[in-house]
Amino acid sequence: MKRFHEGIVARAALAGLLALPLTASAAWFSMVSASEQLTAVNSKQFNGYQRTRLPDGSYAPETFSFGDGGEVGTVTGEPRDIFNDATMDVGFNQLAHDLAGPLARENYISATDPAHTKFLVMVYWGRTDGGTNFGKVTDSLTADWVDFHNAKLLGYDKEADVLSHFEADTFIGETFQDQILRNLHSAIYSELEVDRYFVILRAYSFPDAWRAHKMKLLWETRFSLSQRQHDFTQDVTNMAMSAAPYFGQDSYGLVKQPLIREGRVEIGDVTLVDYLSPPSAAAGLAGTWRGTTKATAHIVLHVDAEGGATFSMRRGVKPARLLVKGSDVTVTVPGWDVLFEGSMRGDTLQGSVSEYQSRARVTLERER
């Protein structure tokens, strides 16, 4: 009964919000718009799969063929046409075309010869039925159940674990611990409670599927975007571009990526700024430097004998610029909002990586 009343209060609050003057409600929506531009990504590796890097730091090409997994139905079992969402009327062929570019960007190459195809990439897609769809979800207990299943579908693993705790308390009422957990995870739950567009890519061994009729999963990437103010047909490529650096990688849980949009850039007069250190200053950095922990192993700085450098993260590999002053090393990556600042001590670089206004300590070691 308590949760039923809480549901009524929440709906009354929403009704009050919608009754506000246009300027006030518009200001409220502007506060949540930033989160709605983030693509949620969860990617995992299976059965010992690892990508192979070439000497220049890029990934070796790997071939694949698409498989039609189909559109996934809603958790509540309602037919999709209740959404009245024409943007979901995209067929598999068009979706495969939209996804081929982001996959190629990460050196996954579409193949037509079964004898030379490594992966069968099954494609699943859909739109979740969020827990705040009041026409179908009538109480907060049901909303918890819907959020739990959507969390598993979308790759919100940690939130699914917490929501499973709520399910265990269904018949004894909400506990004080439940209330604390809700407060701690409220921002993430708000993402689950609205409808979200999603795509799931599951890459299986093509030779095993073709010859042995065995589905051996090698990697999986789930990515999603808030439905509100978006169009699945137009945004699915942007979603995939945001998720692409994690294709075939382990994201170690849920990550958020800015929605990448195709655009037009006009360049006026250009002034060159000398940011590169002379090769002699960078000579002591020659080699491949890699993160020392499992969570940072994807961070790699490669410096050649002439002072040229590349920097790689889960998003791929980019040319980098070095500034060396004594033992202090600064690495910038044009086109990425990434900055490494640290100090060299022998075969160790200790410092921090800044990305999209977040900063994390990292230690890089030179490979021998």
Side-chain angles (χ1 to χ4, degrees), residues 146-199:
V146 171
D147 290 343
F148 169 68
H149 287 277
N150 283 341
K152 293 196 296 182
L153 178 69
L154 299 174
Y156 284 66
D157 296 342
K158 185 180 298 183
E159 284 63 40
D161 290 342
V162 176
L163 283 163
S164 67
H165 170 78
F166 294 160
E167 283 199 321
D169 289 344
T170 296
F171 300 106
I172 62 175
E174 186 172 57
T175 67
F176 183 64
Q177 182 182 5
D178 289 345
Q179 296 176 25
I180 294 175
L181 289 172
R182 285 186 189 279
N183 289 332
L184 289 174
H185 296 264
S186 59
I188 299 296
Y189 292 149
S190 67
E191 298 176 16
L192 293 171
E193 289 176 346
V194 299
D195 294 358
R196 296 184 69 85
Y197 294 128
F198 67 89
V199 174

Side-chain angles (χ1 to χ4, degrees), residues 99-310:
L99 295 171
L103 280 160
R105 181 178 178 179
E106 300 302 314
N107 260 359
Y108 287 111
I109 310 302
S110 180
T112 56
D113 182 359
H116 297 92
T117 303
K118 183 170 184 177
F119 299 113
L120 171 63
V121 178
M122 297 297 297
V123 182
Y124 307 86
W125 69 97
R127 171 177 161 178
T128 60
D129 192 2
T132 55
N133 281 298
F134 300 137
K136 302 178 287 299
V137 178
T138 57
D139 60 81
S140 57
L141 290 177
T142 306
D144 280 348
W145 180 83
V146 171
D147 290 343
F148 169 68
H149 287 277
N150 283 341
K152 293 196 296 182
L153 178 69
L154 299 174
Y156 284 66
D157 296 342
K158 185 180 298 183
E159 284 63 40
D161 290 342
V162 176
L163 283 163
S164 67
H165 170 78
F166 294 160
E167 283 199 321
D169 289 344
T170 296
F171 300 106
I172 62 175
E174 186 172 57
T175 67
F176 183 64
Q177 182 182 5
D178 289 345
Q179 296 176 25
I180 294 175
L181 289 172
R182 285 186 189 279
N183 289 332
L184 289 174
H185 296 264
S186 59
I188 299 296
Y189 292 149
S190 67
E191 298 176 16
L192 293 171
E193 289 176 346
V194 299
D195 294 358
R196 296 184 69 85
Y197 294 128
F198 67 89
V199 174
I200 301 172
L201 301 181
R202 307 197 85 198
Y204 297 89
S205 166
F206 189 92
D208 285 325
W210 185 39
R211 297 190 179 94
H213 305 288
K214 177 183 177 182
M215 301 300 284
K216 180 181 179 182
L217 183 62
L218 298 178
W219 60 266
E220 171 190 274
T221 303
R222 298 170 184 249
F223 53 96
S224 64
L225 178 71
S226 171
Q227 171 272 334
R228 201 172 73 84
Q229 299 182 349
H230 289 102
D231 179 310
F232 182 74
T233 303
Q234 294 182 5
D235 281 322
V236 66
T237 301
N238 302 326
M239 293 165 59
M241 292 290 281
S242 300
Y246 297 92
F247 292 163
Q249 308 295 321
D250 196 324
S251 63
Y252 302 100
L254 190 73
V255 296
K256 305 293 182 62
Q257 289 287 90
L259 185 63
I260 296 176
R261 297 186 182 275
E262 296 294 334
R264 178 182 176 185
V265 178
E266 295 185 2
I267 302 177
D269 296 334
V270 177
T271 301
L272 296 178
V273 178
D274 185 10
Y275 188 78
L276 297 175
S277 291
S280 58
L285 282 172
T288 299
W289 303 75
R290 186 180 300 274
T292 58
T293 66
K294 184 177 181 181
T296 62
H298 64 283
I299 300 176
V300 181
L301 170 65
H302 178 77
V303 183
D304 60 35
E306 290 74 34
T310 60

Side-chain angles (χ1 to χ4, degrees), residues 353-367:
V353 171
S354 302
E355 181 181 18
Y356 296 120
Q357 298 181 342
S358 64
R359 180 184 294 268
R361 298 291 299 176
V362 64
T363 298
L364 306 179
E365 283 189 356
R366 180 160 28 199
E367 294 183 348

Side-chain angles (χ1 to χ4, degrees), residues 51 53 57-59 105-106 244-246 249 298-300 310-319 333 336:
R51 298 207 69 180
R53 287 190 181 274
S58 63
Y59 289 116
R105 181 178 178 179
E106 300 302 314
Y246 297 92
Q249 308 295 321
H298 64 283
I299 300 176
V300 181
T310 60
F311 194 83
S312 61
M313 300 179 71
R314 293 191 180 98
R315 285 187 272 166
V317 181
K318 282 277 191 178
V333 185
W336 287 355

